[in-house]
Amino acid sequence: DVKVTQSSRYLVKRTGEKVFLECVQDMDHENMFWYRQDPGLGLRLIYFSYDVKMKEKGDIPEGYSVSREKKERFSLILESASTNQTSMYLCASEVVAGGGAQPQHFGDGTRLSIL
Amino acid sequence: GQQVMQIPQYQHVQEGEDFTTYCNSSTTLSNIQWYKQRPGGHPVFLIQLVKSGEVKKQKRLTFQFGEAKKNSSLHITATQTTDVGTYFCAGQGGGGFKTIFGAGTRLFVKA
């Protein structure tokens, strides 16, 4: 089974802090994603990466950056946390295979609160 | 940009009743996926549909992909309390590989 591990289940930070959310997958998947989940809005894509050191902006990248130095690890960075970034953050990975989309495998999520 | 709309946002049913959630895209999709997220859990992949008009079944769950590949539905027959959770559809548009998630339908089942 694919295992996607997020470093923290719950996190509380203060406004203005730099926040790092870490995600590791153990299946050598090429694609990795960061989403935020808010009530009534579903899953919104922040950034994704299709290879080491490669990244693409999703739908809501403002206020965030990412890092992918190794294939198994994808980090989400809040450069200067703000209260409107309080949310559930979900990391996912996906294998690249011929024929189009593959299932995404999600981590347990990090519930981040910015005070 | 491409949008995936999902309705209803919430549904309360009595155990044993049927349930359906609908997903509509503003553009033609190359495929559609369905996920289930239990309360307190993370989304888990259920199924993927690729062909126009495709119908797939998983026990009491029936998934359909519209003929025009712009809509999809998930139908649960005779709901059980174990069906509670949020059901998401997720589609990929033709020519792009970004997956767009619907907002989800949260299902409540009363025993």
Side-chain angles (χ1 to χ4, degrees):
Chain A
D1 263 359
V2 177
K3 184 71 175 175
V4 179
T5 303
Q6 294 184 229
S7 53
S8 303
R9 195 81 165 95
Y10 301 94
L11 205 54
V12 180
K13 296 291 182 181
R14 296 208 173 271
T15 303
E17 280 192 70
K18 190 169 186 176
V19 181
F20 294 84
L21 302 183
E22 306 286 346
C23 176
V24 177
Q25 50 97 1
D26 66 356
M27 283 301 291
D28 203 37
H29 285 176
E30 291 82 0
N31 294 344
M32 295 188 74
F33 308 83
W34 274 107
Y35 296 91
R36 64 177 282 177
Q37 183 174 20
D38 300 289
L41 298 178
L43 299 169
R44 293 182 293 166
L45 182 64
I46 304 171
Y47 267 96
F48 67 98
S49 169
Y50 51 89
D51 203 349
V52 175
K53 296 190 186 295
M54 306 302 287
K55 60 185 178 185
E56 291 283 341
K57 292 180 180 179
D59 299 315
I60 51 165
E62 295 79 19
Y64 303 94
S65 62
V66 290
S67 172
R68 195 165 180 200
E69 296 296 319
K70 294 185 177 182
K71 191 174 185 180
E72 68 270 19
R73 185 180 298 271
F74 192 34
S75 303
L76 179 70
I77 304 151
L78 285 66
E79 297 291 343
S80 177
S82 64
T83 54
N84 63 13
Q85 292 178 308
T86 291
S87 187
M88 171 67 86
Y89 290 87
L90 287 163
C91 173
S93 74
E94 177 192 55
V95 70
V96 171
Q102 300 297 317
Q104 292 191 19
H105 301 267
F106 287 84
D108 286 335
T110 296
R111 187 164 293 281
L112 176 64
S113 296
I114 307 297
L115 304 180
Chain B
Q2 181 188 354
Q3 288 188 323
V4 174
M5 310 298 290
Q6 194 172 351
I7 57 170
Q9 189 174 1
Y10 301 97
Q11 184 80 60
H12 292 256
V13 299
Q14 195 75 31
E15 190 174 25
E17 292 181 341
D18 292 356
F19 159 76
T20 305
T21 173
Y22 301 90
C23 189
N24 292 286
S25 170
S26 56
T27 59
T28 302
L29 300 170
S30 57
N31 61 75
I32 193 131
Q33 298 173 337
W34 285 91
Y35 293 78
K36 177 183 178 181
Q37 184 177 24
R38 293 182 186 276
H42 57 267
V44 175
F45 174 80
L46 293 176
I47 208 160
Q48 177 168 286
L49 305 171
V50 178
K51 299 176 184 175
S52 168
E54 189 170 14
V55 178
K56 287 188 176 181
K57 293 192 174 187
Q58 288 181 349
K59 297 183 181 178
R60 295 177 294 103
L61 277 62
T62 302
F63 304 84
Q64 292 188 328
F65 200 9
E67 293 289 343
K69 301 183 78 173
K70 295 182 75 173
N71 57 73
S72 181
S73 65
L74 158 58
H75 179 83
I76 302 179
T77 303
T79 55
Q80 299 175 358
T81 54
T82 53
D83 294 326
V84 299
T86 302
Y87 294 85
F88 292 97
C89 62
Q92 271 196 351
F97 60 88
K98 194 169 71 172
T99 299
I100 306 295
F101 280 80
T105 295
R106 185 158 184 188
L107 173 63
F108 299 86
V109 180
K110 186 176 180 181

